[in-house]
Amino acid sequence: QVQLVESGGGSVRSGGSLKLTCTSSAYAYSRYSMAWFRQAPGKGREGIAAVGRDGTTLYADSVKGRFTISRDNAKNTLNLQMNSLKPEDTATYFCAARGEPLKTLDERLYRHWGRGTQVTVSS
């Protein structure tokens, strides 16, 4: 069973930055493609950034140019650097993993999920 634990959430003013980290217990972590999702109150879960086994990345339009996803296979971690944060970025952020090489923002294709970390952006 793959365990994923998110950290780094918190409260920040509009225009500020936060860095989220997801730590994985997965054996052969480098074989997994990974992603960040978020869910705002009363809304569905949104895929925002993904990274494939080859290190290539994919972003939702809502965060492109502001967020950067990266992975460190030596440390079994996944990061999300969030800059120029807006109040609409307020949500619970989840890390997800799947045992396939290709990156995707389709939540139906991810088998392993963390419990999430809260990000609140005030105006």
Side-chain angles (χ1 to χ4, degrees):
Q1 182 69 17
V2 174
Q3 291 188 327
L4 303 172
V5 179
E6 303 92 341
S7 61
S11 297
V12 65
R13 298 287 293 271
S14 181
S17 298
L18 281 174
K19 182 179 180 180
L20 305 182
T21 297
C22 171
T23 303
S24 171
S25 69
Y27 174 76
Y29 169 76
S30 62
R31 297 181 183 177
Y32 289 77
S33 56
M34 306 290 295
W36 287 98
F37 291 79
R38 68 185 180 186
Q39 187 167 18
K43 296 187 177 181
R45 193 152 50 185
E46 175 191 19
I48 57 171
V51 58
R53 187 186 295 177
D54 62 358
T56 58
T57 57
L58 174 67
Y59 296 94
D61 288 343
S62 58
V63 305
K64 196 174 296 182
R66 300 188 298 123
F67 291 10
T68 302
I69 188 172
S70 62
R71 65 187 301 163
D72 186 335
N73 291 336
K75 297 181 179 179
N76 278 25
T77 57
L78 178 73
N79 299 306
L80 185 69
Q81 178 65 47
M82 305 186 295
N83 299 328
S84 302
L85 283 161
K86 306 174 182 179
E88 51 264 44
D89 293 318
T90 295
T92 301
Y93 284 70
F94 300 90
C95 169
R98 71 190 205 112
E100 298 292 337
L102 299 180
K103 57 191 180 290
T104 177
L105 295 178
D106 187 344
E107 65 172 309
R108 298 170 299 177
L109 300 179
Y110 286 87
R111 179 180 179 184
H112 308 286
W113 293 84
R115 293 190 173 187
T117 185
Q118 178 67 36
V119 171
T120 302
V121 185
S122 58
S123 57

